[in-house]
Amino acid sequence: MTSLIVLAAEAEQKSAEVTDWGPRIAWVVGLVLFVVLVYWLMRQGWKWRGTLQSDLPELPESPQSPGEAKLRSSGRYHGSTTAGQWLDRIVAHGLGTRSRAELTLTDQGLDVVRPGAGDFFVPAAQLREARLDKGIAGKVLAEGGLLVVTWEHGGKPIDSGFRFDRAAEHTAWVEAINSMTDSSTKKTAVTTEGTAR
């Protein structure tokens, strides 16, 4: 008889714990509201950053006939920042949106096609350099795991980060872009020299 009373008391205790839903529901609702608030604040910050960068002109579109491809690769676009400031993300004109990307390098420039996000084109004259790096605005990889292309748009130097499906291709891109920028720098120097005479 005593054991029956003990079992009944234990069952009553367990039942009381399970049916005490009020504080649990309040805690879950509070947590959901906190997450929504944090998300909303992040969204507002993103919009504000876009407003601050509204002076950046529209991105150039790819030319109708870009010429023969020197290099072509696919991978991920990880975002763009102000050159030399790897945490100063640029969000204007969709440059802050991460996406898949297909890159094509021609004599006319760098064509970036992004399914699900805005494509953009960097004319050869606006390319400044390319290098291997380890991070850009919210994405950190192993040393040399990221291709960073520096270019200029609207008088603003920009770093854009890419990681190809085959990371071994990064080096060829660095060499090709840097050889293009070196040759355009030499052409500019020769033209300036000829004008000065």
Side-chain angles (χ1 to χ4, degrees):
M1 186 68 166
T2 311
S3 62
L4 284 174
I5 295 172
V6 170
L7 285 172
E10 285 178 8
E12 201 173 294
Q13 273 185 339
K14 286 181 183 174
S15 178
E17 285 176 15
V18 171
T19 56
D20 192 16
W21 286 102
R24 290 181 185 181
I25 290 172
W27 188 84
V28 169
V29 168
L31 183 63
V32 168
L33 288 175
F34 176 74
V35 168
V36 168
L37 175 67
V38 168
Y39 177 78
W40 181 80
L41 288 172
M42 287 171 57
R43 187 98 172 125
Q44 292 303 107
W46 190 271
K47 285 181 182 177
W48 177 248
R49 184 173 282 274
T51 303
L52 291 176
Q53 297 167 352
S54 62
D55 61 334
L56 195 68
E58 285 293 324
L59 299 170
E61 290 183 10
S62 181
Q64 293 295 327
S65 53
E68 189 179 334
K70 291 181 172 188
L71 288 172
R72 185 174 277 132
S73 295
S74 62
R76 291 204 62 81
Y77 168 77
H78 288 291
S80 293
T81 64
T82 302
Q85 299 178 21
W86 73 284
L87 291 176
D88 186 21
R89 184 188 293 271
I90 295 174
V91 301
H93 308 302
L95 287 175
T97 306
R98 290 184 180 175
S99 61
R100 289 284 306 161
E102 294 174 13
L103 276 69
T104 306
L105 184 67
T106 67
D107 286 330
Q108 291 193 36
L110 176 65
D111 189 24
V112 182
V113 176
R114 300 188 303 155
D119 303 341
F120 62 95
F121 180 75
V122 182
Q126 293 178 341
L127 287 170
R128 295 296 172 255
E129 71 164 344
R131 69 181 186 279
L132 297 180
D133 213 324
K134 64 178 179 180
I136 194 165
K139 185 65 176 181
V140 179
L141 299 162
E143 189 67 49
L146 195 68
L147 169 69
V148 176
V149 178
T150 303
W151 53 292
E152 191 173 322
H153 182 60
K156 183 180 184 93
I158 297 172
D159 281 345
S160 294
F162 303 93
R163 179 165 175 82
F164 296 142
D165 295 332
R166 291 182 292 279
E169 297 175 357
H170 291 171
T171 307
W173 278 82
V174 169
E175 290 169 2
I177 291 173
N178 287 339
S179 70
M180 282 177 71
T181 57
D182 288 345
S183 64
S184 68
T185 306
K186 287 175 187 170
K187 285 178 188 173
T188 306
V190 168
T191 307
T192 309
E193 206 174 285
T195 309
R197 289 179 190 168

